[in-house]
Amino acid sequence: MLVAARCSVCETMMFPPQSYGCLSCGTAKDGLVEATIPATGILQATATVHMHPTHPVPFTVGRIRIAHDIMLNALLTDAAGQPRIGEQVSARLNNASSVSEDMTSRTIYFCADGGAP
Amino acid sequence: MSANLSTLRPVHVIGAGWHPYQNASDTPFVTLGLTAIRAALADAGISWDAVDSTYVATTALGIGSGGAMLRYLGLTGKPIIHVENASASGSAAIRQACLEVAAGLNDVVLAIGVDKVAPLRPARNQAGIATLADHLIMPPTHFALLADRYIAQSGARPDAFAHVAVKNHGNAARNPMAQRQKVRTLDDVLGSRPIAGPLTALQCCPMGEGAAAVIIASENGAKGLQADFDRAIRVAASTTITESPQARTDADLVAHSVAQALDQAGRTPADIDVAEFHDAFSVEELVYLEASGIAPAGRAADMLAEGAFHIGGRCAVSPSGGLIGMGHPMGPTGIGQIAEIAFQLRGEVSGRQQPGARIGLASMVGIGPVGYAHILERP
């Protein structure tokens, strides 16, 4: 599951979570409560990045539509085969072996469903 | 309130000019800006003291750049307002200048865009909100994702985007104000350094500096100054929108802002003879051609291959070279678009004139996200 924010006034779900205010109605702080969203979605697009100022290249990112019609960008891994557009993908915590300097050991990758965690 | 450029008094571009867009140099921003302004004043045939107020579009110069530059035209005591809307900063300055004249507050208003090269620092990344990977998504990657989606939806070949770059580099090579001055082949473009997804270096706009200036005036104001009003170009529409549940993507922002502008001007996409878009990355031109209605959905790549968007085609797109070829110095970019279209509609462009151009569209998007559209018409 992904930690998200839910507006207690208009029920809008938001990811990433924040307490500045609801993107739909502006409700602030205490009106925004912690919620969870399944860490699963449909892959909309992918791109392999060949040039980046800080992160080792190449790496692949995906745009994923998760529940509540929320779009997010995430790192992709082909650990369970190359994820394709229109396929369901799910989040996995990476193992720490390939952690680079600017990533914590809690980096989340998305991979094709059915892949080994 | 529903006042707009179709209901207020008419406004016109009466002068325009540039400092060429170029690679980062030691040239002070003051030189860049003054060169463009003096060119625009000379083009309009007016003097600096005729300008009632100035909007300065800039993203990277630090505070107070307008006064530090305009003072060398003579201290007139007239208002200076700085405008920042990311890539659309110049478009925003144009719109504010148009509104000030249309509302009758002033008769002659300058929009000047000037910038030097500086690191891009989107404020959203400083909002203190942790994201999964947004911090890794540089602009080329954002648009590489768009390219992947476009291929999936339209069936376009991955090299479809490279053809946009070939066209725009070719146009830029005929534009002395452009940062990039070389004709490039498809092999050149595809063989340049890979950046993200199908986008290679020559499909991405360069970093650069420069300046562009446009003078907006009412008819009375222009004629009172004995300006050359026969060459004036009407600004028939100006629109801007930001992100909403109905407009979440860059394509949505272009679609909505252009549709509103066409409605304001009483025109259809088929009326547009010349257009400039935010083609910072090659894929954008195809996506925005379809979003604006100039090309039917899924048809932009084929129409480009048929020559529809080349100079001399159905609608010349990015005749300046666009952001890919002419450059994207940020503050100047949106103002340079208006300048290019004004010269095209006057029929005064040498070597890359769209024959018979009468109606032009300038479309911009910027991080925010924001969308802008302006429609210009030859009377």
Side-chain angles (χ1 to χ4, degrees):
Chain A
M1 303 293 269
L2 295 168
V3 176
R6 180 177 60 81
C7 177
S8 59
V9 174
C10 75
E11 298 297 321
T12 294
M13 292 284 280
M14 284 158 279
F15 183 87
Q18 45 82 22
S19 59
Y20 288 128
C22 173
L23 299 180
S24 290
C25 73
T27 294
K29 295 192 173 178
D30 294 348
L32 299 178
V33 296
E34 189 174 299
T36 57
I37 299 179
T40 291
I42 303 299
L43 188 63
Q44 305 293 311
T46 71
T48 297
V49 180
H50 303 284
M51 198 193 76
H52 196 278
T54 56
H55 193 281
V57 292
F59 62 94
T60 301
V61 295
R63 184 155 295 161
I64 299 158
R65 186 189 301 277
I66 61 173
H68 308 284
D69 204 25
I70 292 170
M71 298 286 262
L72 58 78
N73 295 314
L75 287 160
L76 295 182
T77 172
D78 59 3
Q82 196 68 50
R84 290 205 301 261
I85 290 182
E87 270 187 348
Q88 184 163 300
V89 291
S90 293
R92 298 280 188 275
L93 281 173
N94 78 324
N95 61 33
S97 62
S98 62
V99 173
S100 66
E101 277 179 20
D102 68 330
M103 290 155 61
T104 72
S105 60
R106 299 189 58 221
T107 297
I108 293 170
Y109 285 85
F110 275 70
C111 67
D113 251 9
Chain B
M1 283 296 292
S2 59
N4 59 50
L5 290 196
S6 69
T7 61
L8 298 167
R9 71 170 173 166
V11 301
H12 309 267
V13 174
I14 64 162
W18 288 273
H19 184 288
Y21 298 173
Q22 61 193 20
N23 295 334
S25 77
D26 294 334
T27 308
F29 78 91
V30 179
T31 303
L32 303 176
L34 292 178
T35 301
I37 295 168
R38 287 181 170 130
L41 291 169
D43 181 51
I46 66 171
S47 60
W48 169 239
D49 56 10
V51 174
D52 296 318
S53 75
T54 299
Y55 288 87
V56 181
T58 183
T59 65
L61 296 181
I63 60 173
S65 54
M69 168 176 70
L70 299 174
R71 65 202 315 267
Y72 301 110
L73 293 163
L75 299 168
T76 60
K78 305 287 181 60
I80 302 169
I81 308 94
H82 297 85
V83 177
E84 187 269 302
N85 244 345
S87 285
S89 297
S91 312
I94 289 285
R95 174 171 164 80
Q96 296 310 121
C98 288
L99 296 182
E100 186 166 321
V101 174
L105 301 178
N106 275 311
D107 280 320
V108 181
V109 178
L110 169 68
I112 167 72
V114 57
D115 254 325
K116 298 282 289 180
V117 175
L120 199 62
R121 291 197 315 125
R124 186 175 285 193
N125 296 349
Q126 299 156 55
I129 298 172
T131 64
L132 285 180
D134 288 357
H135 59 291
L136 298 175
I137 310 283
M138 306 278 286
T141 307
H142 174 78
F143 290 108
L145 289 164
L146 178 67
D148 197 46
R149 189 78 195 147
Y150 183 81
I151 289 169
Q153 288 180 334
S154 72
R157 291 155 43 103
D159 70 0
F161 314 120
H163 288 280
V164 172
V166 170
K167 169 177 69 69
N168 294 358
H169 282 276
N171 290 348
R174 291 182 277 166
N175 180 359
M177 299 297 152
Q179 183 172 348
R180 285 171 161 164
Q181 292 284 337
K182 280 189 192 158
V183 173
R184 302 287 189 171
T185 66
L186 188 63
D187 285 345
D188 292 338
V189 172
L190 291 172
S192 61
R193 192 159 46 102
I195 304 293
L199 303 179
T200 55
L202 290 177
Q203 295 177 68
C204 303
C205 65
M207 303 280 278
E209 62 180 31
V214 162
I215 298 167
I216 302 290
S218 65
E219 182 169 355
N220 284 345
K223 287 183 172 167
L225 295 164
Q226 275 86 51
D228 182 2
F229 197 71
D230 291 343
R231 293 161 67 243
I233 298 297
R234 171 97 186 263
V235 185
S238 171
T239 64
T240 181
I241 61 169
T242 61
E243 183 183 21
S244 72
Q246 293 74 42
R248 291 164 57 168
T249 67
D250 300 295
D252 293 339
L253 290 163
V254 170
H256 287 258
S257 57
V258 171
Q260 289 174 16
L262 289 166
D263 183 58
Q264 202 174 103
R267 300 294 179 188
T268 70
D271 294 325
I272 304 298
D273 302 312
V274 56
E276 296 268 339
F277 289 100
H278 180 274
D279 63 321
F281 303 93
S282 55
V283 55
E284 291 183 87
E285 189 170 297
L286 298 182
V287 169
Y288 301 155
L289 276 166
E290 297 177 11
S292 66
I294 292 175
R299 281 279 296 144
D302 289 341
M303 290 177 69
L304 174 66
E306 293 158 7
F309 306 129
H310 286 68
I311 292 166
R314 209 300 277 149
C315 172
V317 179
S318 303
S320 70
L323 278 58
I324 290 173
M326 175 143 188
H328 182 22
M330 300 295 283
T333 309
I335 296 172
Q337 287 187 328
I338 299 295
E340 170 70 17
I341 291 171
F343 280 106
Q344 287 281 346
L345 301 188
R346 287 175 180 170
E348 294 178 351
V349 180
S350 175
R352 51 189 175 81
Q353 173 67 48
Q354 170 71 349
R358 205 174 81 72
I359 301 175
L361 167 70
S363 162
M364 252 293 165
V365 293
I367 287 173
V370 300
Y372 276 83
H374 287 92
I375 292 175
L376 276 65
E377 301 195 7
R378 186 180 70 205

